[in-house]
């Protein structure tokens, strides 16, 4: 397979680029989930492609990826991202919501940090059954996402926001972190992350301050930084 998306190869007098190679592989074997997933990733929003006389969108291709390669976590994740909240999709005769698809992704690969982060963001209830009677709280799902990628801005910030008690702490890698410490870490990675500045402002009470990058900020100053970073 061509490593460079802009490169081409000539076979039997026909020029193929990366996308046409994936299409050719599907024409030879329609069960190649990896190829379906990569075709979908190549398509722009609203763009379609014709394979075996069938006009397909990227969402259609992601669904084929999930159907033909159920052990490919990316297929489930990308299919979920193509759905709006409240929508469902049929995969191999079973109906799935966005939440169901994210659950499938983390079950296929329990170390898939991005899938855990998306699952955490989708949760609206305090607990979730991720399969086999394994009940996890929203905090636990958010913590898992942060554990798997402790440099993820969204995972760190979402975990902090999910910690409703101001003085509560979570343990990651054997170390306890408060809401503020998680947000300060996020801003240490990207000082222009507006979402974390907003969350940090909400943590501060009265004249309380927090130090970010060697500078003290009060609630109003954190809110101002959030606005500046938009």
């Amino acid at each position: 397979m061509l490593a460079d998306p802009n490169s081409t190869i000539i076979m039997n007098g026909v020029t193929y680029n990366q996308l046409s190679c994936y299409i050719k592989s599907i024409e030879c074997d329609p069960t190649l989930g990896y190829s379906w997933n990569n075709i979908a990733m190549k398509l722009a929003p609203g763009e379609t492609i014709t394979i075996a006389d069938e006009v397909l969108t990227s969402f259609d291709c992601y669904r084929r990826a999930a159907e033909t390669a159920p052990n490919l976590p990316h297929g489930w994740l990308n299919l979920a991202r193509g759905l709006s909240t409240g929508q469902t999709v049929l995969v191999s005769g079973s109906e799935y919501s966005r939440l169901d698809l994210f659950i499938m992704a983390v079950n296929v690969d329990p170390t898939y940090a991005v899938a855990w982060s998306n699952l955490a963001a989708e949760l609206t209830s305090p607990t979730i059954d991720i399969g086999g009677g394994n009940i996890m709280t929203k905090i636990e799902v958010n913590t898992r996402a942060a554990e798997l990628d402790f440099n993820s801005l969204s995972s760190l910030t979402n975990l902090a926001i999910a910690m409703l008690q101001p003085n509560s702490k979570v343990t990651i890698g054997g170390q306890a972190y408060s809401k503020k410490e998680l947000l300060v870490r996020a801003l240490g990675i990207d000082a222009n992350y507006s979402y974390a500045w907003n969350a940090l402002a909400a943590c501060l009470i009265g004249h309380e301050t927090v130090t970010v990058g060697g500078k003290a900020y009060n609630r109003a100053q954190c809110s101002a930084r959030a606005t500046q970073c938009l």
Side-chain angles (χ1 to χ4, degrees), residues 174 179 216:
K179 288 170 65 78

Coordinates of all heavy atoms in Angstrom, one line a residue, residues 174 179 216:
G174 N -0.8 6.5 40.5 CA -0.3 6.4 41.9 C -0.3 7.8 42.6 O 0.1 7.9 43.7
K179 N -9.2 18.9 41.3 CA -9.8 19.5 40.1 C -8.8 20.6 39.5 O -8.5 20.6 38.4 CB -11.1 20.2 40.4 CG -12.3 19.3 40.7 CD -13.5 20.0 41.2 CE -14.1 21.0 40.2 NZ -14.9 20.4 39.2
A216 N -0.2 34.1 39.2 CA -1.4 33.9 39.9 C -2.6 34.5 39.2 O -2.5 35.6 38.7 CB -1.3 34.5 41.3

